[in-house]
Amino acid sequence: MNILCEKLQTQFPIIQGGMGNISHAELTAAISEAGGLGTLGAGTMAVDEVEREIIKVKQLTTKPFCLNIPISVQPDLHKVLSLVFTHQIPVVSLSAGNPAPFMEVLKEKGVTVICVVASVKQAQKAEKLGADIIVAEGFEAAGINSSFETTTLTLIPQVVKAVSIPVVAAGGIGNGSGLLAMLALGASGVQMGTRFIATKEAVVHPSYKELLLQSKDTGTTVVGRSIGKVRRLLHTRYTETLQQMEQQGVTVDEFNEATDEGKHLVGAIEGKIDKGHLNAGQIAGLIDDVPSVNVLLETMVKEAKEKLIHLQQSKLL
């Protein structure tokens, strides 16, 4: 059995990325039910809202799921952390900050801890702290990104070589070929975010899904480089506004306000594309349908197996 599946008690080595404020219960539960690990993204949600979503997930599935806590983003960090113990959530992923202050209590309670990293050094530190699983995220990924700008293709084999715990690849993965490629690089599985937005169960505005379908290979835009706030977004008129702000010398506070979670919800949930942004990874260019989560996972695994057999039979290897 795949070591990642064994640790997470899943059928497939596929994890949902912790997409803050839009990884709702419906999508999270559907992914777990389909054999992956669904992840509820706490984002900047209020504690009572996070708890309502947790309860809803548990009503929709009895299978394991994960709670993602973005350390530097979540305003009620310790209260959200307490929900993990109150509701006996089996897996927690920690991102966007230093996991050290939270690792001991999570491990004492028997929680499986995933740490999201962007470099070998961060991966080694997380392993030393006691992380069970590393998610190594390349620059192809959606949303807030590392200023290192290391691609998934180069990051994964280096992290795999540097640590002894399972490594999950994130950034630029959305089909069976990508799954097989990451396994070939030594990863134990993959994490996906953008691809799960384009599914029937994702509770986002239909225009978000439609724009992902229309996206091409150059359909995403990186903003925030000029002020050290790197973020990958779907290219829209709003991202052009953000680029103009940078050209005119935007301050960090002004940029943060223009890209905060309120603006994210305006775009992603309300569908007001000119007034809010849409996170999207480079995989958007490969998305051409909006299947159910169950069909997506089964198709990915089938494609990965077929591609592997094709490689073996083609005598390319």
Side-chain angles (χ1 to χ4, degrees):
M1 187 177 187
N2 180 289
I3 188 172
L4 184 68
C5 295
E6 187 174 358
K7 279 184 173 290
L8 300 176
Q9 294 300 293
T10 61
Q11 181 181 357
F12 304 129
I14 300 172
I15 298 174
Q16 175 191 2
M19 299 174 285
N21 304 308
I22 61 170
S23 293
H24 295 107
E26 293 84 351
L27 180 59
T28 300
I31 292 167
S32 289
E33 277 292 300
L37 182 74
T39 300
L40 186 65
T44 59
M45 287 194 293
V47 177
D48 58 347
E49 189 177 359
V50 176
E51 185 164 34
R52 284 197 299 270
E53 290 294 304
I54 290 171
I55 292 170
K56 193 184 296 184
V57 173
K58 297 180 78 171
Q59 291 171 340
L60 294 171
T61 184
T62 58
K63 294 185 178 180
F65 69 98
C66 173
L67 178 66
N68 172 251
I69 304 176
I71 295 166
S72 62
V73 174
Q74 171 50 235
D76 291 310
L77 191 56
H78 292 281
K79 290 182 180 179
V80 169
L81 191 65
S82 70
L83 294 177
V84 175
F85 312 128
T86 300
H87 294 281
Q88 298 181 314
I89 298 173
V91 186
V92 166
S93 66
L94 300 174
S95 59
N98 180 12
F102 316 100
M103 194 68 72
E104 185 176 351
V105 65
L106 287 167
K107 298 302 295 178
E108 284 178 353
K109 297 289 186 178
V111 177
T112 297
V113 181
I114 300 172
C115 286
V116 182
V117 306
S119 71
V120 168
K121 184 177 180 180
Q122 291 174 358
Q124 290 173 323
K125 179 181 177 181
E127 181 181 33
K128 189 174 294 186
L129 288 170
D132 297 287
I133 297 164
I134 296 293
V135 168
E137 186 174 79
F139 189 58
E140 298 92 327
I144 298 172
N145 254 316
S146 168
S147 59
F148 298 143
E149 301 195 14
T150 309
T151 65
T152 305
L153 183 67
T154 56
L155 179 63
I156 297 306
Q158 292 181 76
V159 173
V160 168
K161 184 179 179 180
V163 301
S164 59
I165 56 178
V167 175
V168 174
I173 303 147
N175 55 25
S177 296
L179 171 59
L180 179 60
M182 293 304 108
L183 295 177
L185 290 175
S188 297
V190 299
Q191 176 177 286
M192 303 191 303
T194 303
R195 188 62 186 92
F196 281 129
I197 292 297
T199 59
K200 296 183 186 301
E201 292 88 349
V203 187
V204 298
H205 198 276
S207 61
Y208 193 173
K209 300 181 185 183
E210 182 59 33
L211 286 170
L212 287 174
L213 291 176
Q214 295 173 9
S215 182
K216 305 299 181 185
D217 57 334
T218 57
T220 64
T221 301
V222 174
V223 297
R225 279 195 180 102
S226 65
I227 54 170
K229 296 285 184 178
V230 182
R231 183 185 290 263
R232 187 179 295 280
L233 306 175
L234 199 62
H235 187 84
T236 63
R237 284 189 290 273
Y238 192 75
T239 57
E240 292 174 359
T241 298
L242 294 173
Q243 289 174 319
Q244 291 170 5
M245 290 173 64
E246 283 193 81
Q247 291 169 3
Q248 294 166 5
V250 68
T251 67
V252 173
D253 287 342
E254 288 170 339
F255 184 83
N256 286 342
E257 183 179 352
T259 57
D260 65 14
E261 283 307 301
K263 295 295 192 300
H264 181 206
L265 294 176
V266 166
I269 304 301
E270 298 179 24
K272 298 176 181 177
I273 307 305
D274 294 340
K275 297 181 179 180
H277 59 278
L278 301 172
N279 293 327
Q282 287 186 313
I283 196 65
L286 283 175
I287 295 174
D288 57 12
D289 63 349
V290 183
S292 68
V293 166
N294 186 63
V295 168
L296 173 62
L297 294 195
E298 289 188 350
T299 301
M300 279 185 63
V301 173
K302 180 182 178 183
E303 180 189 346
K305 291 178 178 178
E306 290 175 347
K307 292 284 185 180
L308 177 59
I309 292 172
H310 173 73
L311 287 171
Q312 292 170 333
Q313 294 177 341
S314 65
K315 299 181 181 179
L316 291 174
L317 297 175

